[in-house]
Amino acid sequence: MIISEKLNALLKQVEKPARYIGGETGIVIKNIDETKVRFAFAFPDLYEIGMSYMGLQILYNILNKESDIYCERVFAPAPDMVAAMKKENVPLFTLETKTPIKEMDFLGFTLQYEMSFSSILKMIDLSGIPVLASERSEADPLIIAGGPCAYNPEPLADFIDLFIIGDGEKSLPALLNKYADAKEKGMTKAEFLKSVVNDTGIYVPSFYDVVYNEDGTVKEYKKLYDEAPDRVERCIVPSLEEIPFPTEPMVPFIETVHDRAVVETFRGCTRGCRFCQAGMIYRPVRERSKDKIIDLARKQLANTGHEELSLLSLSTSDYSAFEPLAIELMQECKKQNVSLSLPSLRLDTFSFKVLEEIQGYKKSGLTFAPEAGTQRLRDVINKGITEKDIFDAVRQAVELGWKHIKLYFMIGLPTETYSDLDGIADIARKIMEIHKDVCGGGRFNVTVSVSNFVPKAHTPFQWTAQDSTENFTEKHNYLHEKLKIKGVTFNYHDDAVSTYEAVFARGDRRTGKLLLEAFRQGCYLDGWSEHFDLEKWQNAIELSGTDIDFYTTRKREFDEILPWQIIDSAVTTSFLKSEAQKAVNEQVTPDCRYGCAGCGINRRVKCEAEGILAKKGGADFSA
Ligand code: SF4
Protein backbone atom coordinates (compact mmCIF):
# COMPACT_ATOMS: atom_id res chain seq x y z
CA MET A 1 0.00 0.00 0.00
CA ILE A 2 1.29 3.49 -0.82
CA ILE A 3 0.50 5.40 2.35
CA SER A 4 1.77 8.80 1.22
CA GLU A 5 -1.04 8.93 -1.36
CA LYS A 6 -3.61 8.64 1.43
CA LEU A 7 -1.80 10.85 3.92
CA ASN A 8 -3.49 14.12 2.95
CA ALA A 9 -6.93 12.65 3.43
CA LEU A 10 -5.88 11.41 6.86
CA LEU A 11 -4.22 14.62 7.97
CA LYS A 12 -7.30 16.70 7.18
CA GLN A 13 -9.22 14.72 9.78
CA VAL A 14 -6.88 15.07 12.74
CA GLU A 15 -6.08 17.65 15.36
CA LYS A 16 -2.25 17.70 15.16
CA PRO A 17 -1.10 16.56 11.70
CA ALA A 18 2.56 17.30 12.55
CA ARG A 19 2.54 14.20 14.73
CA TYR A 20 2.41 12.05 11.61
CA ILE A 21 4.24 13.80 8.80
CA GLY A 22 7.91 13.24 9.67
CA GLY A 23 10.45 15.43 7.85
CA GLU A 24 11.79 17.11 10.99
CA THR A 25 15.31 18.55 11.18
CA GLY A 26 17.79 15.84 12.16
CA ILE A 27 15.87 12.84 10.80
CA VAL A 28 17.68 10.33 8.63
CA ILE A 29 16.51 9.44 5.13
CA LYS A 30 18.24 6.46 3.54
CA ASN A 31 17.89 4.67 0.27
CA ILE A 32 15.98 1.63 1.43
CA ASP A 33 17.37 -0.50 -1.38
CA GLU A 34 20.85 0.01 0.06
CA THR A 35 20.00 -1.16 3.58
CA LYS A 36 19.58 -4.73 4.77
CA VAL A 37 17.56 -4.38 7.96
CA ARG A 38 14.61 -2.07 8.55
CA PHE A 39 13.81 -1.24 12.13
CA ALA A 40 10.77 0.70 13.38
CA PHE A 41 11.54 2.27 16.76
CA ALA A 42 8.15 2.36 18.46
CA PHE A 43 7.26 4.59 21.38
CA PRO A 44 3.90 3.41 22.77
CA ASP A 45 2.56 6.85 23.52
CA LEU A 46 1.82 10.09 21.67
CA TYR A 47 4.46 11.83 19.53
CA GLU A 48 4.95 14.66 22.03
CA ILE A 49 5.92 12.21 24.77
CA GLY A 50 8.06 9.94 22.61
CA MET A 51 10.02 12.75 20.98
CA SER A 52 11.03 14.02 24.44
CA TYR A 53 12.57 10.65 25.30
CA MET A 54 16.36 10.82 25.03
CA GLY A 55 16.73 7.05 24.56
CA LEU A 56 14.99 7.36 21.19
CA GLN A 57 17.43 10.04 20.03
CA ILE A 58 20.41 7.97 21.26
CA LEU A 59 19.43 4.70 19.58
CA TYR A 60 18.13 6.38 16.41
CA ASN A 61 21.52 8.06 16.04
CA ILE A 62 23.51 4.88 16.74
CA LEU A 63 21.44 2.57 14.53
CA ASN A 64 21.42 4.94 11.59
CA LYS A 65 25.24 5.17 11.70
CA GLU A 66 25.23 1.50 10.66
CA SER A 67 25.26 1.20 6.87
CA ASP A 68 23.11 -1.95 6.79
CA ILE A 69 20.46 -0.70 9.21
CA TYR A 70 17.70 1.84 8.71
CA CYS A 71 15.91 2.97 11.88
CA GLU A 72 12.64 4.85 11.48
CA ARG A 73 10.09 6.02 14.07
CA VAL A 74 6.49 5.25 14.94
CA PHE A 75 4.39 6.61 17.81
CA ALA A 76 0.95 5.74 19.14
CA PRO A 77 -1.55 7.68 17.04
CA ALA A 78 -4.07 9.81 18.95
CA PRO A 79 -7.67 8.48 18.94
CA ASP A 80 -8.69 10.91 16.14
CA MET A 81 -5.93 9.49 13.93
CA VAL A 82 -6.88 5.92 14.84
CA ALA A 83 -10.44 6.67 13.68
CA ALA A 84 -9.20 8.30 10.46
CA MET A 85 -6.86 5.37 9.73
CA LYS A 86 -9.72 2.95 10.17
CA LYS A 87 -11.97 5.00 7.93
CA GLU A 88 -9.38 5.28 5.16
CA ASN A 89 -8.19 1.71 5.72
CA VAL A 90 -4.61 2.76 6.40
CA PRO A 91 -2.34 0.66 8.65
CA LEU A 92 0.24 2.08 11.06
CA PHE A 93 3.29 3.43 9.25
CA THR A 94 6.76 4.84 9.86
CA LEU A 95 7.23 8.61 9.87
CA GLU A 96 10.39 8.66 7.74
CA THR A 97 9.30 6.72 4.63
CA LYS A 98 5.58 6.10 5.35
CA THR A 99 6.21 2.38 5.13
CA PRO A 100 3.54 0.11 6.64
CA ILE A 101 4.97 -1.41 9.86
CA LYS A 102 4.08 -4.85 8.57
CA GLU A 103 6.76 -4.44 5.89
CA MET A 104 9.55 -3.76 8.39
CA ASP A 105 11.99 -6.42 9.63
CA PHE A 106 11.61 -5.31 13.25
CA LEU A 107 9.11 -3.43 15.35
CA GLY A 108 10.98 -2.43 18.53
CA PHE A 109 9.13 -1.00 21.53
CA THR A 110 10.67 0.94 24.36
CA LEU A 111 9.03 0.04 27.68
CA GLN A 112 9.19 3.12 29.88
CA TYR A 113 6.06 2.66 32.03
CA GLU A 114 3.61 -0.16 32.60
CA MET A 115 0.53 1.85 31.69
CA SER A 116 1.75 1.98 28.09
CA PHE A 117 1.36 -1.80 27.67
CA SER A 118 -2.16 -1.72 26.21
CA SER A 119 -0.93 0.79 23.61
CA ILE A 120 1.70 -1.73 22.51
CA LEU A 121 -1.01 -4.24 21.66
CA LYS A 122 -3.04 -1.56 19.93
CA MET A 123 -0.05 -0.47 17.82
CA ILE A 124 0.65 -4.07 16.78
CA ASP A 125 -3.00 -4.46 15.84
CA LEU A 126 -3.11 -1.15 13.94
CA SER A 127 -0.19 -2.50 11.92
CA GLY A 128 -2.31 -5.43 10.78
CA ILE A 129 -0.11 -7.87 12.72
CA PRO A 130 -1.54 -10.52 15.08
CA VAL A 131 -0.96 -9.39 18.67
CA LEU A 132 -0.07 -12.88 19.91
CA ALA A 133 3.47 -13.89 18.97
CA SER A 134 2.29 -17.50 18.53
CA GLU A 135 -0.12 -16.43 15.75
CA ARG A 136 2.42 -14.47 13.73
CA SER A 137 3.98 -15.80 10.55
CA GLU A 138 7.38 -15.55 8.86
CA ALA A 139 6.00 -12.60 6.90
CA ASP A 140 5.45 -10.50 10.03
CA PRO A 141 8.21 -8.39 11.56
CA LEU A 142 10.00 -9.62 14.67
CA ILE A 143 8.59 -7.68 17.60
CA ILE A 144 11.16 -6.81 20.24
CA ALA A 145 11.22 -4.64 23.35
CA GLY A 146 13.65 -3.11 25.84
CA GLY A 147 13.78 -0.41 28.51
CA PRO A 148 13.23 -0.42 32.28
CA CYS A 149 9.93 -2.36 32.20
CA ALA A 150 11.68 -5.18 30.33
CA TYR A 151 13.28 -6.08 33.66
CA ASN A 152 9.98 -7.84 34.33
CA PRO A 153 9.14 -8.93 30.79
CA GLU A 154 6.60 -11.59 31.74
CA PRO A 155 3.30 -9.65 31.32
CA LEU A 156 4.36 -9.08 27.69
CA ALA A 157 5.83 -12.56 27.11
CA ASP A 158 2.93 -13.66 24.86
CA PHE A 159 3.26 -10.65 22.57
CA ILE A 160 6.98 -9.97 22.21
CA ASP A 161 9.39 -12.25 20.33
CA LEU A 162 12.57 -11.07 22.01
CA PHE A 163 13.52 -8.69 24.81
CA ILE A 164 16.80 -6.81 25.11
CA ILE A 165 17.70 -6.32 28.75
CA GLY A 166 20.01 -3.47 29.75
CA ASP A 167 21.91 -0.83 27.79
CA GLY A 168 20.98 -1.00 24.10
CA GLU A 169 23.79 1.03 22.55
CA LYS A 170 25.88 -2.00 21.66
CA SER A 171 23.47 -4.91 21.90
CA LEU A 172 20.78 -3.54 19.58
CA PRO A 173 23.01 -2.79 16.55
CA ALA A 174 24.78 -6.13 17.13
CA LEU A 175 21.43 -7.95 17.09
CA LEU A 176 20.28 -6.19 13.91
CA ASN A 177 23.57 -6.80 12.12
CA LYS A 178 23.29 -10.49 13.00
CA TYR A 179 19.80 -10.41 11.54
CA ALA A 180 21.18 -9.00 8.29
CA ASP A 181 23.39 -12.11 8.03
CA ALA A 182 20.56 -14.41 9.03
CA LYS A 183 18.35 -12.87 6.35
CA GLU A 184 21.02 -13.41 3.72
CA LYS A 185 21.36 -17.02 4.80
CA GLY A 186 17.59 -17.45 4.56
CA MET A 187 17.16 -18.39 8.22
CA THR A 188 13.66 -18.67 9.67
CA LYS A 189 12.65 -16.49 12.61
CA ALA A 190 12.96 -19.44 15.01
CA GLU A 191 16.44 -20.23 13.69
CA PHE A 192 17.46 -16.60 14.14
CA LEU A 193 16.11 -16.47 17.70
CA LYS A 194 18.06 -19.64 18.54
CA SER A 195 21.21 -18.16 17.05
CA VAL A 196 21.11 -15.10 19.36
CA VAL A 197 19.55 -16.47 22.54
CA ASN A 198 22.92 -16.81 24.25
CA ASP A 199 24.04 -13.27 23.48
CA THR A 200 24.18 -11.07 26.59
CA GLY A 201 20.89 -9.38 27.36
CA ILE A 202 18.69 -11.43 25.04
CA TYR A 203 15.54 -13.03 26.43
CA VAL A 204 13.31 -15.10 24.16
CA PRO A 205 10.18 -15.88 26.21
CA SER A 206 8.91 -18.58 23.84
CA PHE A 207 11.93 -20.71 24.77
CA TYR A 208 10.56 -21.16 28.30
CA ASP A 209 7.38 -22.55 29.76
CA VAL A 210 6.36 -21.41 33.22
CA VAL A 211 5.03 -24.02 35.65
CA TYR A 212 3.00 -22.82 38.63
CA ASN A 213 2.41 -24.19 42.13
CA GLU A 214 -1.11 -24.84 43.35
CA ASP A 215 -1.06 -21.58 45.30
CA GLY A 216 -0.41 -19.72 42.05
CA THR A 217 3.25 -18.90 42.66
CA VAL A 218 5.90 -19.82 40.08
CA LYS A 219 7.25 -23.36 40.47
CA GLU A 220 9.83 -23.34 37.70
CA TYR A 221 10.91 -22.07 34.33
CA LYS A 222 11.06 -25.09 32.03
CA LYS A 223 13.28 -24.67 29.02
CA LEU A 224 11.66 -25.50 25.71
CA TYR A 225 15.00 -24.97 23.97
CA ASP A 226 17.87 -26.64 25.82
CA GLU A 227 20.48 -24.07 24.81
CA ALA A 228 18.50 -21.13 26.25
CA PRO A 229 20.29 -19.61 29.28
CA ASP A 230 19.16 -20.32 32.86
CA ARG A 231 19.15 -16.61 33.55
CA VAL A 232 19.51 -13.64 31.21
CA GLU A 233 22.36 -11.31 32.08
CA ARG A 234 21.71 -7.64 31.53
CA CYS A 235 23.91 -5.77 28.99
CA ILE A 236 26.10 -3.15 30.59
CA VAL A 237 28.02 -0.56 28.60
CA PRO A 238 31.13 -0.24 30.77
CA SER A 239 31.93 3.34 29.77
CA LEU A 240 29.79 6.11 28.28
CA GLU A 241 32.73 8.11 27.00
CA GLU A 242 33.10 6.21 23.74
CA ILE A 243 29.37 5.67 23.17
CA PRO A 244 28.05 8.02 20.47
CA PHE A 245 25.63 10.63 21.77
CA PRO A 246 23.49 12.66 19.35
CA THR A 247 24.92 16.02 18.34
CA GLU A 248 22.25 16.63 15.69
CA PRO A 249 19.10 15.37 17.42
CA MET A 250 15.72 15.49 15.73
CA VAL A 251 13.82 18.72 16.35
CA PRO A 252 10.02 18.42 16.27
CA PHE A 253 7.79 20.89 14.40
CA ILE A 254 5.34 21.01 17.27
CA GLU A 255 5.73 21.63 20.97
CA THR A 256 6.69 18.49 22.87
CA VAL A 257 7.04 17.84 26.59
CA HIS A 258 10.69 18.90 26.54
CA ASP A 259 11.86 21.16 23.73
CA ARG A 260 15.51 21.46 24.64
CA ALA A 261 19.04 20.28 24.12
CA VAL A 262 19.87 17.46 26.53
CA VAL A 263 23.17 15.85 27.46
CA GLU A 264 23.38 12.74 29.61
CA THR A 265 26.09 13.37 32.20
CA PHE A 266 26.14 9.94 33.82
CA ARG A 267 24.17 6.74 34.16
CA GLY A 268 23.51 4.91 37.43
CA CYS A 269 23.09 6.08 41.02
CA THR A 270 24.87 5.30 44.27
CA ARG A 271 22.27 6.46 46.76
CA GLY A 272 20.41 3.19 47.13
CA CYS A 273 16.83 4.39 47.77
CA ARG A 274 15.07 1.09 48.39
CA PHE A 275 11.92 1.87 46.39
CA CYS A 276 13.78 3.05 43.31
CA GLN A 277 14.08 0.63 40.39
CA ALA A 278 16.23 2.99 38.32
CA GLY A 279 18.70 3.20 41.20
CA MET A 280 19.16 -0.57 41.10
CA ILE A 281 18.96 -1.47 37.41
CA TYR A 282 21.23 1.27 36.05
CA ARG A 283 24.17 0.55 38.41
CA PRO A 284 27.06 1.22 38.46
CA VAL A 285 27.70 4.93 37.98
CA ARG A 286 29.32 5.67 34.62
CA GLU A 287 30.23 9.26 33.88
CA ARG A 288 30.98 11.21 30.71
CA SER A 289 33.95 13.54 31.04
CA LYS A 290 33.27 17.21 31.64
CA ASP A 291 34.90 18.22 28.36
CA LYS A 292 32.81 15.72 26.43
CA ILE A 293 29.60 17.00 28.04
CA ILE A 294 30.44 20.60 27.19
CA ASP A 295 31.40 19.66 23.65
CA LEU A 296 28.13 17.75 23.16
CA ALA A 297 26.12 20.63 24.61
CA ARG A 298 27.76 23.17 22.28
CA LYS A 299 27.18 20.99 19.24
CA GLN A 300 23.56 20.26 20.10
CA LEU A 301 22.79 23.93 20.67
CA ALA A 302 24.48 24.92 17.42
CA ASN A 303 22.70 22.24 15.39
CA THR A 304 19.21 22.57 16.82
CA GLY A 305 18.69 26.21 17.71
CA HIS A 306 17.15 25.12 21.03
CA GLU A 307 16.83 27.89 23.58
CA GLU A 308 17.27 25.67 26.61
CA LEU A 309 19.91 23.19 27.72
CA SER A 310 19.33 20.50 30.31
CA LEU A 311 21.43 17.74 31.85
CA LEU A 312 20.20 14.19 32.15
CA SER A 313 21.03 11.78 34.98
CA LEU A 314 19.35 10.34 38.04
CA SER A 315 20.80 13.05 40.30
CA THR A 316 22.48 16.06 38.66
CA SER A 317 24.79 17.20 41.43
CA ASP A 318 26.16 13.71 42.12
CA TYR A 319 28.31 14.22 39.03
CA SER A 320 31.88 14.16 40.37
CA ALA A 321 32.91 17.42 38.67
CA PHE A 322 29.55 19.13 39.07
CA GLU A 323 30.81 22.53 40.22
CA PRO A 324 33.26 23.19 37.38
CA LEU A 325 30.75 21.71 34.90
CA ALA A 326 27.93 23.96 36.12
CA ILE A 327 30.17 27.05 36.04
CA GLU A 328 31.32 26.35 32.49
CA LEU A 329 27.82 25.60 31.28
CA MET A 330 26.46 28.75 32.86
CA GLN A 331 29.11 30.79 31.05
CA GLU A 332 28.38 29.01 27.78
CA CYS A 333 24.63 29.47 28.08
CA LYS A 334 25.02 33.15 28.94
CA LYS A 335 27.20 33.62 25.88
CA GLN A 336 24.63 31.93 23.67
CA ASN A 337 21.60 33.49 25.40
CA VAL A 338 20.24 30.06 26.21
CA SER A 339 18.59 29.07 29.49
CA LEU A 340 20.04 26.27 31.59
CA SER A 341 17.93 23.78 33.48
CA LEU A 342 19.51 21.60 36.16
CA PRO A 343 17.02 19.10 37.55
CA SER A 344 17.30 17.37 40.94
CA LEU A 345 20.16 19.29 42.50
CA ARG A 346 21.50 18.49 45.95
CA LEU A 347 20.80 21.19 48.51
CA ASP A 348 23.97 23.08 49.28
CA THR A 349 25.31 26.59 49.09
CA PHE A 350 26.78 26.06 45.63
CA SER A 351 23.45 24.87 44.20
CA PHE A 352 21.71 27.99 45.50
CA LYS A 353 24.38 30.13 43.85
CA VAL A 354 23.77 28.27 40.60
CA LEU A 355 20.02 28.64 40.90
CA GLU A 356 20.32 32.35 41.66
CA GLU A 357 22.40 32.68 38.54
CA ILE A 358 20.22 30.60 36.18
CA GLN A 359 16.77 31.57 37.45
CA GLY A 360 17.49 35.18 38.42
CA TYR A 361 14.32 37.00 39.47
CA LYS A 362 12.04 34.35 37.90
CA LYS A 363 12.44 31.74 40.68
CA SER A 364 9.81 29.41 39.27
CA GLY A 365 9.62 27.10 42.27
CA LEU A 366 11.79 24.70 44.21
CA THR A 367 11.03 21.02 44.28
CA PHE A 368 11.93 18.83 47.24
CA ALA A 369 11.39 15.09 47.34
CA PRO A 370 11.50 13.96 50.98
CA GLU A 371 9.30 10.99 49.84
CA ALA A 372 8.20 10.23 53.42
CA GLY A 373 6.88 12.40 56.25
CA THR A 374 9.03 11.14 59.15
CA GLN A 375 12.69 10.38 59.67
CA ARG A 376 11.78 6.83 60.69
CA LEU A 377 10.12 6.13 57.33
CA ARG A 378 12.83 7.94 55.38
CA ASP A 379 15.30 5.56 57.04
CA VAL A 380 13.11 2.60 56.05
CA ILE A 381 13.27 3.64 52.39
CA ASN A 382 16.92 4.72 52.70
CA LYS A 383 16.22 8.25 51.53
CA GLY A 384 19.33 9.97 52.76
CA ILE A 385 17.68 13.25 53.68
CA THR A 386 16.96 14.70 57.12
CA GLU A 387 14.41 17.21 58.33
CA LYS A 388 17.30 19.58 59.04
CA ASP A 389 18.38 19.29 55.37
CA ILE A 390 14.90 20.23 54.23
CA PHE A 391 14.28 23.08 56.65
CA ASP A 392 17.76 24.61 56.30
CA ALA A 393 17.36 24.59 52.54
CA VAL A 394 13.84 26.01 52.70
CA ARG A 395 15.06 28.82 54.94
CA GLN A 396 17.84 29.62 52.50
CA ALA A 397 15.40 29.49 49.56
CA VAL A 398 12.91 31.78 51.30
CA GLU A 399 15.67 34.23 52.19
CA LEU A 400 16.68 34.30 48.54
CA GLY A 401 13.12 35.11 47.49
CA TRP A 402 11.52 31.81 46.40
CA LYS A 403 7.73 32.00 46.76
CA HIS A 404 6.68 28.48 45.83
CA ILE A 405 7.89 25.17 47.26
CA LYS A 406 6.79 21.84 45.79
CA LEU A 407 7.05 18.72 47.93
CA TYR A 408 6.89 15.16 46.64
CA PHE A 409 5.87 12.26 48.86
CA MET A 410 4.84 8.65 48.41
CA ILE A 411 2.17 6.96 50.47
CA GLY A 412 1.70 3.26 51.08
CA LEU A 413 5.42 2.75 51.77
CA PRO A 414 6.37 -0.38 53.73
CA THR A 415 5.78 -0.02 57.52
CA GLU A 416 3.90 3.28 57.03
CA THR A 417 1.49 4.35 59.79
CA TYR A 418 -0.82 7.34 60.10
CA SER A 419 1.92 9.11 62.15
CA ASP A 420 4.00 9.14 58.96
CA LEU A 421 1.10 10.82 57.16
CA ASP A 422 0.87 13.37 60.00
CA GLY A 423 4.58 13.98 59.32
CA ILE A 424 3.74 15.12 55.77
CA ALA A 425 1.38 17.78 57.12
CA ASP A 426 3.94 18.76 59.78
CA ILE A 427 6.59 19.42 57.12
CA ALA A 428 4.19 21.56 55.07
CA ARG A 429 3.16 23.51 58.18
CA LYS A 430 6.77 24.02 59.28
CA ILE A 431 7.67 25.39 55.85
CA MET A 432 4.83 27.93 56.09
CA GLU A 433 6.16 28.93 59.53
CA ILE A 434 9.70 29.36 58.18
CA HIS A 435 8.34 31.70 55.53
CA LYS A 436 6.44 33.70 58.14
CA ASP A 437 9.53 33.84 60.32
CA VAL A 438 11.76 35.08 57.49
CA CYS A 439 9.34 37.34 55.58
CA GLY A 440 6.71 38.13 58.19
CA GLY A 441 3.94 37.14 55.75
CA GLY A 442 3.01 37.86 52.13
CA ARG A 443 2.55 35.65 49.06
CA PHE A 444 3.94 32.14 49.48
CA ASN A 445 2.61 28.68 48.79
CA VAL A 446 3.48 25.04 49.21
CA THR A 447 2.24 22.24 46.94
CA VAL A 448 2.20 18.75 48.39
CA SER A 449 2.08 16.06 45.69
CA VAL A 450 1.51 12.53 46.80
CA SER A 451 1.99 9.46 44.63
CA ASN A 452 1.11 5.89 45.52
CA PHE A 453 3.95 3.49 46.23
CA VAL A 454 4.17 0.74 43.63
CA PRO A 455 6.65 -2.04 44.54
CA LYS A 456 8.97 -2.72 41.61
CA ALA A 457 10.88 -5.77 40.46
CA HIS A 458 14.65 -5.90 41.21
CA THR A 459 14.37 -3.58 44.22
CA PRO A 460 14.63 -4.39 47.95
CA PHE A 461 10.85 -3.85 48.12
CA GLN A 462 10.04 -6.40 45.40
CA TRP A 463 8.61 -8.77 48.06
CA THR A 464 6.44 -6.10 49.74
CA ALA A 465 2.64 -5.97 49.77
CA GLN A 466 1.14 -2.93 48.09
CA ASP A 467 -1.63 -0.96 49.79
CA SER A 468 -5.12 -1.75 48.51
CA THR A 469 -7.01 0.81 46.44
CA GLU A 470 -9.30 1.33 49.46
CA ASN A 471 -6.33 2.03 51.76
CA PHE A 472 -4.94 4.56 49.31
CA THR A 473 -8.31 6.31 49.13
CA GLU A 474 -8.59 6.39 52.93
CA LYS A 475 -5.08 7.83 53.25
CA HIS A 476 -5.79 10.47 50.61
CA ASN A 477 -8.94 11.49 52.49
CA TYR A 478 -6.97 11.65 55.74
CA LEU A 479 -4.28 13.80 54.17
CA HIS A 480 -6.90 15.99 52.54
CA GLU A 481 -8.19 16.90 56.01
CA LYS A 482 -4.70 17.23 57.53
CA LEU A 483 -3.47 19.49 54.75
CA LYS A 484 -6.23 22.05 55.10
CA ILE A 485 -3.54 24.62 55.85
CA LYS A 486 -3.68 28.15 54.42
CA GLY A 487 -1.26 28.40 51.49
CA VAL A 488 -0.93 24.63 51.03
CA THR A 489 -2.28 22.80 47.96
CA PHE A 490 -2.66 19.02 47.91
CA ASN A 491 -2.42 16.86 44.75
CA TYR A 492 -2.57 13.11 44.50
CA HIS A 493 -2.53 10.31 41.94
CA ASP A 494 -5.38 8.11 40.79
CA ASP A 495 -5.60 5.00 43.02
CA ALA A 496 -6.90 2.63 40.36
CA VAL A 497 -4.08 3.45 37.94
CA SER A 498 -1.52 2.60 40.66
CA THR A 499 -3.19 -0.76 41.16
CA TYR A 500 -2.93 -1.70 37.45
CA GLU A 501 0.62 -0.37 37.30
CA ALA A 502 1.44 -2.65 40.24
CA VAL A 503 -0.12 -5.71 38.58
CA PHE A 504 2.17 -5.37 35.55
CA ALA A 505 5.22 -4.21 37.54
CA ARG A 506 5.29 -7.57 39.37
CA GLY A 507 3.03 -9.67 37.17
CA ASP A 508 3.74 -13.12 35.78
CA ARG A 509 2.88 -14.43 32.32
CA ARG A 510 -0.77 -14.90 33.23
CA THR A 511 -1.23 -11.14 33.53
CA GLY A 512 -0.79 -11.14 29.75
CA LYS A 513 -4.35 -12.48 29.58
CA LEU A 514 -5.58 -9.44 31.50
CA LEU A 515 -3.68 -7.21 29.10
CA LEU A 516 -5.15 -8.98 26.08
CA GLU A 517 -8.69 -8.58 27.44
CA ALA A 518 -8.01 -4.91 28.24
CA PHE A 519 -6.87 -4.39 24.66
CA ARG A 520 -10.00 -6.19 23.38
CA GLN A 521 -12.12 -3.92 25.58
CA GLY A 522 -10.51 -0.93 23.87
CA CYS A 523 -8.05 0.21 26.57
CA TYR A 524 -5.49 2.54 25.00
CA LEU A 525 -3.23 5.38 26.11
CA ASP A 526 -3.87 4.44 29.74
CA GLY A 527 -1.19 6.80 31.03
CA TRP A 528 -3.59 9.67 30.20
CA SER A 529 -6.34 10.28 32.76
CA GLU A 530 -8.73 11.30 29.96
CA HIS A 531 -8.21 7.95 28.23
CA PHE A 532 -7.90 5.60 31.22
CA ASP A 533 -11.25 3.79 31.44
CA LEU A 534 -11.72 1.98 34.76
CA GLU A 535 -14.85 0.17 33.60
CA LYS A 536 -13.02 -1.41 30.67
CA TRP A 537 -10.21 -2.57 32.97
CA GLN A 538 -12.73 -3.99 35.43
CA ASN A 539 -14.38 -5.92 32.58
CA ALA A 540 -10.97 -7.19 31.55
CA ILE A 541 -10.29 -8.47 35.09
CA GLU A 542 -13.61 -10.30 35.06
CA LEU A 543 -13.10 -11.82 31.61
CA SER A 544 -9.50 -12.87 32.24
CA GLY A 545 -10.26 -14.19 35.74
CA THR A 546 -7.34 -12.23 37.21
CA ASP A 547 -6.95 -12.17 40.98
CA ILE A 548 -5.68 -8.60 41.41
CA ASP A 549 -4.83 -9.04 45.10
CA PHE A 550 -2.47 -11.89 44.24
CA TYR A 551 -0.30 -9.40 42.37
CA THR A 552 -0.77 -6.30 44.51
CA THR A 553 -1.60 -6.69 48.21
CA ARG A 554 0.07 -10.11 48.66
CA LYS A 555 3.43 -10.18 50.46
CA ARG A 556 5.96 -12.46 48.72
CA GLU A 557 8.18 -14.73 50.81
CA PHE A 558 11.94 -14.55 50.34
CA ASP A 559 12.05 -18.12 49.04
CA GLU A 560 9.32 -17.59 46.41
CA ILE A 561 10.46 -17.83 42.78
CA LEU A 562 9.66 -14.40 41.42
CA PRO A 563 8.51 -14.18 37.79
CA TRP A 564 11.32 -11.77 36.90
CA GLN A 565 14.07 -13.92 38.43
CA ILE A 566 14.83 -15.14 34.92
CA ILE A 567 16.44 -11.71 34.46
CA ASP A 568 19.78 -11.08 36.17
CA SER A 569 20.12 -7.33 36.81
CA ALA A 570 23.65 -7.95 38.18
CA VAL A 571 22.59 -6.69 41.62
CA THR A 572 22.45 -9.83 43.76
CA THR A 573 19.30 -11.18 45.36
CA SER A 574 21.21 -11.52 48.66
CA PHE A 575 21.91 -7.76 48.58
CA LEU A 576 18.24 -7.01 47.91
CA LYS A 577 17.20 -9.31 50.76
CA SER A 578 19.62 -7.72 53.20
CA GLU A 579 18.36 -4.26 52.18
CA ALA A 580 14.76 -5.43 52.70
CA GLN A 581 15.69 -6.68 56.16
CA LYS A 582 17.50 -3.45 57.01
CA ALA A 583 14.38 -1.55 55.95
CA VAL A 584 12.28 -3.44 58.48
CA ASN A 585 14.94 -2.70 61.12
CA GLU A 586 14.91 0.99 60.10
CA GLN A 587 18.63 0.84 59.30
CA VAL A 588 20.18 2.94 56.58
CA THR A 589 22.82 1.95 54.04
CA PRO A 590 25.12 4.88 53.21
CA ASP A 591 25.60 6.14 49.66
CA CYS A 592 28.12 3.74 48.13
CA ARG A 593 30.38 6.63 47.10
CA TYR A 594 31.42 6.48 50.76
CA GLY A 595 32.22 2.77 50.58
CA CYS A 596 30.94 -0.18 48.62
CA ALA A 597 27.71 -1.62 49.99
CA GLY A 598 28.31 -4.94 48.25
CA CYS A 599 25.45 -4.89 45.74
CA GLY A 600 27.37 -7.29 43.51
CA ILE A 601 27.52 -5.32 40.30
CA ASN A 602 31.31 -4.94 40.43
CA ARG A 603 31.58 -8.68 39.73
CA ARG A 604 30.37 -7.86 36.23
CA VAL A 605 31.85 -4.45 35.53
CA LYS A 606 34.46 -2.19 37.07
CA CYS A 607 32.61 0.01 39.50
CA GLU A 608 33.40 3.66 38.81
CA ALA A 609 31.45 4.67 41.90
CA GLU A 610 34.21 3.35 44.12
CA GLY A 611 36.72 5.68 42.56
CA ILE A 612 34.67 8.82 42.87
CA LEU A 613 35.62 10.95 45.83
CA ALA A 614 33.06 11.18 48.59
CA LYS A 615 31.29 14.49 48.56
CA LYS A 616 29.12 16.25 51.09
CA GLY A 617 25.63 14.74 51.21
CA GLY A 618 22.35 16.60 51.26
CA ALA A 619 18.81 16.58 50.07
CA ASP A 620 17.66 16.60 46.47
CA PHE A 621 15.67 19.35 44.90
CA SER A 622 15.14 20.74 41.50
CA ALA A 623 13.97 24.05 40.24
S1 SF4 B 1 29.24 -2.59 43.73
FE1 SF4 B 1 29.41 -1.30 45.55
S2 SF4 B 1 30.12 0.72 44.82
FE2 SF4 B 1 29.37 -0.45 43.04
S3 SF4 B 1 27.22 0.20 42.77
FE3 SF4 B 1 27.23 -1.66 44.03
S4 SF4 B 1 27.27 -0.90 46.13
FE4 SF4 B 1 27.88 0.81 44.83
Side-chain angles (χ1 to χ4, degrees), residues 269-271 279-280 282-285 570-571 575 589-603 605-611:
C269 179
T270 51
R271 296 189 165 242
M280 297 292 155
Y282 291 121
R283 287 176 176 221
V285 164
V571 170
F575 174 75
T589 298
D591 184 322
C592 64
R593 282 169 200 260
Y594 299 93
C596 176
C599 78
I601 196 128
N602 50 358
R603 290 181 318 180
V605 60
K606 183 174 166 292
C607 198
E608 300 292 341
E610 288 176 292

Side-chain angles (χ1 to χ4, degrees), residues 142-161:
L142 275 159
I143 301 189
I144 70 171
C149 295
Y151 280 79
N152 178 22
E154 293 306 87
L156 290 169
D158 291 344
F159 316 104
I160 301 292
D161 297 306

